[in-house]
Each structure stands twice: as C-alpha cells, then as structure tokens.
Amino acid sequence: AAKTAGRNTLRFFDPAMQAVVSARASMEKELREALREQQLRLHYQAQVGRHGELVGAEALVRWQHPQRGMISPAEFIPLAEATGLILPLGQWVLRTACQQLLIWAKDADSAQLTIAVNVSARQFRQLDIVEQVLGILQETGANPQLLKLELTESLLVDDVEDTISKMEQLKAAGLCFSLDDFGTGYSSLTYLKRLPLDQLKIDQSFVRDVLTDPNDAAIARTIVALGQSMGLSVIAEGVESAEQRDYLASQGCYAYQGYYFGKPVAIAEFEAARIKTFAS
Ligand code: C2E
Ligand code: MG
Ligand code: MG
Ligand code: MG
C-alpha cells in the first residue's frame, strides 16, 4: 500500500508533466521577449467580393522565432490569452494594421481596402478597449471606416450588455464588426440579434466539405439566410476552390476568403500577388 501511495504521490512529479510546465514557462518568457524584440509579424490574406475583386485583407499574426522559424498563432495565441500577453500583443496588431491602412490611404488603388483584425474576448473585455482602439486610430491617422474588428461568439457567454455598449461606441467612430468562426460557438440567437454587427463569417469547418456534406451545406445556407434576414453581410472563410465559391454564391454569399484567392502572406508578397491576381 505504501508503495502504491508513493507511486501516486510521485505522479505529481511526473517528468513528462514537469517538461510541459517548464516548456510553457519558457515559451511565456520567449513570447514576452518576442514583443520586446519585435519578432511578431502580420500576414495579410485577401478578402474578395462578388466579382473576385479585392475588398480588403484579414491581418493574421505570426511569430518569427529566432531559432524555431515562423510559428503559427494557433501555437501561441492560447498561451498569450492565458498569460495576459494578448493585451500588448493585441495592441501591437491593431497599431500595425492601422499603419498599413495609412500606407494604403496614400495610394489611389488601395485607399478603399479594409483590414480585419482579430480581437480576442479577453482583449475586448478590457475596461478601456474603446479608448485603446480610438487612441491607436488617432495616433496612426488611419480611417476608422476601413477597420473591421473580428470578434468571436465567446464574447456572448458573459456580459452581453457591456459588449454591446463597447461595440456601439466603436461603431459610432466608424468601425465595423464581423463575427468570426460563426456557428462554432455558443451564441444564442436572442443575443446575436442584439449585437450591432455588420458581418457574419462562416467558419471554415462548414466550408471545407460544403460540396459533399449535406449538413455542412445546410449550415452554410442557413447562415447566409440568417445574415440576409438580419441585414448583415456574410463572408465565407476557408474557400479553397472555385466550386466552393460557386456553391456559396448560388446560396447568396458574395464575399470570400481562402487559399483559392490567396494564402496569408507578408505585405510585400501580398502587394506582388495582387498585381497578378486582382483587377484594380
Ligand atoms: P481565424 O481568425 O479564423 O483565421 C482564419 C485562419 O484560417 C487563419 O489561420 C488562416 O490562415 C486560415 N485559412 C485561411 N484560408 C484558409 C483556407 O482556404 N484553408 C485552410 N485550411 N485554412 C485557411 P491562422 O493564420 O493560423 O490563424 C489561426 C487563428 O489564430 C485565427 O483564426 C485567429 O483566431 C487567431 N489569430 C490570428 N491572428 C490573431 C491576432 O492578431 N489576434 C488574435 N486575438 N487572434 C489571432
Ligand atoms: Mg479571423
Ligand atoms: Mg475565422
Ligand atoms: Mg477559423
């Protein structure tokens, strides 16, 4: 019995678990450094309209790690959320996206392009998020009308009144809002209809098999119909083929994002691909 108890006690000092804990701690330290040492990068992915015209881009963060190379946000956003580093990281993303808007503003062919920025629930729950966003807009001189914030349904599980009030203040300044990964979260339609949204974004998990899985097709169709009846635009993410785009268009979805139109890339590549791919 003593032996068993000893073994059970020892489980807490499992070397594998300790490795996980210390890997997390060192990644947190490195992510802090990444912010300080400017190792974060923004990649841009085209958002396309009805006739294949470029309407804007989604800004997606990457971590250019000095040893490990480019790290995807799926690997560090959860840690950033858990540690609170998402707050300075989110500000950096917003500021960088706004600086890009200002660069585009000086070029007639680009002056109408929008940028969509992902804002995590923890970030949006900050008491002063409205002041932060407006401050960054003011400081950079970017046009608020060209900045779209992508929120997720996780904001609807708690203080909805607070979320609505912040959204309204930002909308009054000209920003617009898209609900990202729509259909994967917990939103109740009661709350959804009260949010001052501009756009629903069909999650890529429904787009992937939209041509072969009748359930996914039904969900995509339903989101489009819901958006239409609520007066919201609908954009599909994860569009990888012309056939998917055509199906979505046949259901009334007229805005798209996905590898078919372009992968997320650094701004120089985005500008280069644009000349080849999109009519201006
Ligand atoms: P998301 O906002 O839903 O972004 C869409 C993700 O789908 C991106 O992954 C994009 O590269 C990927 N994607 C786009 N088109 C296709 C396609 O046709 N096929 C497939 N298979 N994938 C496609 P990424 O860049 O790895 O970002 C993952 C998630 O990380 C984002 O999902 C977003 O939730 C989060 N994220 C990225 N940047 C930021 C940020 O600046 N702040 C916050 N809070 N979260 C971010
Ligand atoms: Mg997004
Ligand atoms: Mg998404
Ligand atoms: Mg997604």
Side-chain angles (χ1 to χ4, degrees), residues 13-106:
F13 304 98
D14 184 320
M17 210 154 108
Q18 199 150 43
V20 169
V21 170
S22 74
R24 214 192 100 121
S26 76
M27 190 160 159
E28 179 181 346
K29 184 169 157 278
E30 288 187 80
L31 188 53
R32 235 174 255 289
E33 273 163 27
L35 277 158
R36 233 186 7 249
E37 312 279 327
Q38 305 184 356
Q39 294 166 10
L40 299 179
R41 303 284 179 269
L42 271 195
H43 279 186
Y44 295 84
Q45 185 177 33
Q47 295 191 328
V48 169
R50 189 167 196 158
H51 306 290
E53 75 281 14
L54 184 68
V55 295
E58 177 174 6
L60 294 153
V61 71
R62 272 92 181 91
W63 177 2
Q64 182 64 58
H65 190 283
Q67 283 87 40
R68 293 200 283 146
M70 200 73 95
I71 305 179
S72 95
E75 276 189 63
F76 63 90
I77 291 287
L79 179 74
E81 297 250 9
T83 55
L85 286 171
I86 193 69
L87 306 181
L89 187 155
Q91 288 193 356
W92 179 85
V93 169
L94 268 168
R95 185 171 300 112
T96 307
C98 285
Q99 285 163 351
Q100 184 56 45
L101 279 176
L102 200 72
I103 293 171
W104 278 343
K106 293 171 180 152

Side-chain angles (χ1 to χ4, degrees), residues 42-48 54-60 62 104 114-116 150 201 204 235-240 256-267 270 278:
L42 271 195
H43 279 186
Y44 295 84
Q45 185 177 33
Q47 295 191 328
V48 169
L54 184 68
V55 295
E58 177 174 6
L60 294 153
R62 272 92 181 91
W104 278 343
T114 59
I115 296 184
E150 294 196 0
K201 195 165 192 182
Q204 57 182 282
I235 185 168
E237 74 176 359
V239 178
E240 296 188 356
Y256 321 95
Q257 183 182 339
Y259 294 171
Y260 177 67
F261 301 98
K263 292 193 170 180
V265 288
I267 194 65
F270 184 87
F278 303 104

Side-chain angles (χ1 to χ4, degrees), residues 124 130 133-134 149 166-175 177:
F124 204 72
V130 172
V133 173
L134 297 182
L149 301 186
K166 287 168 173 165
M167 287 174 75
E168 275 169 353
Q169 292 173 62
L170 289 167
K171 278 182 72 82
L175 283 86
F177 287 93

Side-chain angles (χ1 to χ4, degrees), residues 183-238:
T184 63
Y186 313 92
S187 35
S188 112
L189 296 179
T190 310
Y191 288 144
L192 182 69
K193 74 168 186 195
R194 298 185 46 216
L195 285 192
L197 287 165
D198 300 277
Q199 185 176 65
L200 298 178
K201 195 165 192 182
I202 305 175
D203 189 64
Q204 57 182 282
S205 62
F206 307 122
V207 174
R208 189 178 308 124
D209 300 318
V210 78
L211 299 171
T212 52
D213 184 332
N215 290 327
D216 286 340
I219 291 169
R221 271 201 311 276
T222 303
I223 295 174
V224 173
L226 185 66
Q228 276 170 355
S229 68
M230 292 172 54
L232 307 176
S233 73
V234 177
I235 185 168
E237 74 176 359

